[in-house]
Amino acid sequence: MKNDSSIWFDIVNYTLQILFTLLCVYPFYYILIYSISDPQQALKGVFLLPNGFTIVNYTHIFRLDNMLNSFFISVLRTVSGTILTIACSSWLAYAVTKNELYFRKTIYRFVVITMYFNAGLIPWYITMKELGLKNNFLLYILPVAVVAYYVVLFKTFIEQLPPALEESAMIDGAGFLKIFTHVIFPLSMPIIATIAVFASVGQWNTWYDNYFLVSDDRLQTLQLILYNYLTDAQRIVSSSNLQDLNRGLAAKISPDSIRITITMVVTIPVLLVYPFLQRFFVKGLMVGAIKG
Amino acid sequence: MKLKANRVTLFLMVIPFVIIVFLFNYIPLFGWLYAFYDYKPGIPLSHTEFVGLKYFKWAIEEKDDLIRVLTNTLALSFLSILASPLSVIFAIMINEVNSKRFRKVVQTLTTLPNFISWIIVYSLATFMFSSGGLLNEVLMKLHWIEEPTTVLGNSNATWWFQTAITVWKNLGWGAIIYLAAIAGIDTELYDAAKVDGAGRFQRILAITVPGIMPTFFVLLLLNIASVLSNGASGFEQNFVFYNSQVGDKIEALDYYVYRVGIATGDVSFGTAIGIAKTLISVILLFSMNALSKRVRGHSVF
């Protein structure tokens, strides 16, 4: 069946895909090999392989002021924020599938409409301040407890579950909350996995709430620390551990190595999480897409 | 009676979440009031003067700024929309590969940029493209250039460069949705076409492309509806890549609102621009939805 033009098509097709894939991967590979290269040798250039090998960059960055703490804050907001989002959004989605809910349609519309408008940056900023969320950890997680898009995805998923399961639990006398936690939630794992990826990556990547409304260093996130180091060279020297500087470590490290290593540390969690859950979110998106 | 009690309990257990939605999505709308007052940070609204549409008129008077920012916004959005068929092409290309493993590897690796924050994108771009970055190093070693140059500070290249960054970040992810649309095409169509002697290109053009079109059309309408903050004109991308050399070319509407409203402190003026933007976006969204109804017979949302 294969003819010449088809073979040429394959060659061009594979080549272009490989090139674009390399274009997507190489920057990450580059920061990986740079971060494990010897800082001084790396200045002469790193291309395909690490130049010397060391983990001094990694040991150094975790001794920078506030680095460990902000790592902890980022993990905390990701874990707690994701759990909160899933719990609140899925419960609300389940409730609006119930005919027994008073004002069911009104409530659903009230939630869904929020996808189509946005008050804007300044009103958001002022509202958060008035609600007392300035320099408050809750700023990171509470505003996204209910996300309209996730409610729609959950609701669509729950609606296609066989109603018989729920009815038998109902006959056994279980209330709505019990049916939700014991029947619906465990059956919703595919969509929960999908939303968990979106929500956790979103939490990990969000920095503007931190930038605009949190000046307290103890609540600083990793993303913002990275941004500060990228834009302010002086900061690397000034926040380095004094003992390190005295031992002459400062001569061995370079600002670029530090920046690249921090970038790597901020990227690694995403690299670890998303590929394994990819098959879930492709499936989960489909559920949403069929409805849309 | 038990059912009644159950219904009341259910309702009460939903109320807190409705309140959360109200607090974080509706309450900020009251902040629109600031656009109609001479608001100064720190002074309560009740002590400030009502000025009506003063700031909206001011926005029109300050038209030089606004025209510059709107030009950037529309240029960046338009280029992103122009690039959107690339995801369709990429999906078709992946679909034409027989090896399942190859497809999976390509899909997984090309969606990676979608999952990283704009700060990381900026960080990577700095290491690649800054004057001391990898690209300059390579080009100088090859003696293709004598002096380091940087696209990050070149205002003539900004629109194209920002669009390229957007494509890099979104292409693989965008293709996933189209691959799903292709998966939904009836395979019998392909078999029948093969029997009829249709070649590979004919099958792509006659079956795959029409099969994807409805999805592409919906996404295109949504992109047009969000033209004021779409693609490379989005706030986060603007924010990280903004610098004084490219400021005139990169600054789009959302960044402008931030700059005048928060960085400079003209809260009322910034809010007025933000309101105008939201209203235009909502109108666009409904127009696109109406267009979709007329052309395709059903609505986008």
Side-chain angles (χ1 to χ4, degrees), chain A residues 91 94-95 97-98 100 158 161-188, chain B residues 2-3 6 10 13:
Chain A
W91 163 249
Y94 169 69
T97 62
K98 298 286 97 191
E100 289 86 345
I158 292 169
L161 291 173
L165 296 164
E166 210 175 325
E167 278 157 16
S168 63
M170 200 79 112
I171 291 162
D172 291 344
F176 290 113
L177 185 61
K178 193 158 187 205
I179 294 174
F180 173 70
T181 53
H182 286 68
V183 181
I184 302 296
F185 197 80
L187 286 171
S188 306
Chain B
K2 179 141 193 309
L3 184 67
N6 259 343
L10 180 66
M13 286 195 298

Side-chain angles (χ1 to χ4, degrees), chain A:
Chain A
M1 278 304 275
K2 290 240 163 177
N3 54 31
D4 279 355
S5 76
S6 198
I7 290 165
W8 276 110
F9 180 92
D10 276 335
I11 293 172
V12 173
N13 189 17
Y14 277 84
T15 313
L16 287 176
Q17 284 185 51
I18 290 168
L19 285 179
F20 183 65
T21 305
L22 288 177
L23 200 64
C24 288
V25 175
Y26 183 74
F28 298 98
Y29 177 72
Y30 176 78
I31 59 167
L32 171 68
I33 57 175
Y34 202 110
S35 72
I36 55 174
S37 293
D38 181 273
Q40 295 307 317
Q41 287 179 45
L43 291 175
K44 288 177 214 136
V46 171
F47 302 103
L48 294 173
L49 291 169
N51 205 338
F53 176 80
T54 175
I55 55 160
V56 66
N57 294 318
Y58 287 89
T59 54
H60 184 81
I61 64 156
F62 278 104
R63 286 151 76 166
L64 290 173
D65 282 354
N66 219 10
M67 191 57 113
L68 268 180
N69 184 62
S70 63
F71 190 82
F72 172 73
I73 292 291
S74 279
V75 170
L76 189 66
R77 80 172 281 176
T78 302
V79 174
S80 62
T82 305
I83 292 172
L84 189 72
T85 299
I86 287 176
C88 297
S89 299
S90 63
W91 163 249
L92 189 58
Y94 169 69
V96 293
T97 62
K98 298 286 97 191
N99 278 322
E100 289 86 345
L101 179 66
Y102 297 116
F103 306 111
R104 184 179 79 94
K105 279 212 166 119
T106 314
I107 291 173
Y108 185 59
R109 282 198 193 121
F110 183 78
V111 174
V112 169
I113 287 173
T114 63
M115 287 203 284
Y116 303 113
F117 69 85
N118 184 340
L121 180 66
I122 297 165
W124 167 82
Y125 176 81
I126 295 169
T127 309
M128 294 300 150
K129 239 162 90 173
E130 306 268 292
L131 290 173
L133 293 174
K134 195 167 193 233
N135 284 325
N136 187 336
F137 181 78
L138 289 177
L139 170 73
Y140 296 149
I141 61 173
L142 210 50
V144 289
V146 177
V147 177
Y149 178 59
Y150 301 158
V151 173
V152 173
L153 287 182
F154 265 123
K155 179 175 173 277
T156 314
F157 187 89
I158 292 169
E159 277 170 345
Q160 51 86 49
L161 291 173
L165 296 164
E166 210 175 325
E167 278 157 16
S168 63
M170 200 79 112
I171 291 162
D172 291 344
F176 290 113
L177 185 61
K178 193 158 187 205
I179 294 174
F180 173 70
T181 53
H182 286 68
V183 181
I184 302 296
F185 197 80
L187 286 171
S188 306
M189 278 309 152
I191 195 72
I192 290 168
T194 308
I195 292 168
V197 178
F198 288 141
S200 60
V201 171
Q203 278 289 355
W204 183 260
N205 283 344
T206 302
W207 52 270
Y208 61 87
D209 43 12
N210 186 177
Y211 178 79
F212 287 119
L213 284 157
V214 178
S215 51
D216 186 344
D217 278 349
R218 288 169 305 171
L219 292 175
Q220 197 117 73
T221 62
L222 213 46
Q223 299 280 349
L224 200 67
I225 289 245
L226 172 62
Y227 181 74
N228 289 337
Y229 279 117
L230 287 172
T231 49
D232 182 1
Q234 203 48 45
R235 195 182 284 258
I236 290 175
V237 181
S238 65
S239 58
S240 286
N241 189 307
L242 271 178
Q243 281 180 331
D244 285 355
L245 293 179
N246 289 341
R247 276 188 295 153
L249 199 66
K252 282 189 224 143
I253 58 156
S254 83
D256 270 354
S257 288
I258 295 300
R259 292 194 182 108
I260 280 183
T261 310
I262 300 175
T263 307
M264 196 65 218
V265 168
V266 181
T267 312
I268 286 170
V270 178
L271 291 180
L272 293 180
V273 170
Y274 96 96
F276 300 102
L277 293 165
Q278 183 146 21
R279 84 195 156 91
F280 281 118
F281 63 65
V282 173
K283 253 188 224 158
L285 270 185
M286 286 311 87
V287 176
I290 291 162
K291 177 78 192 295

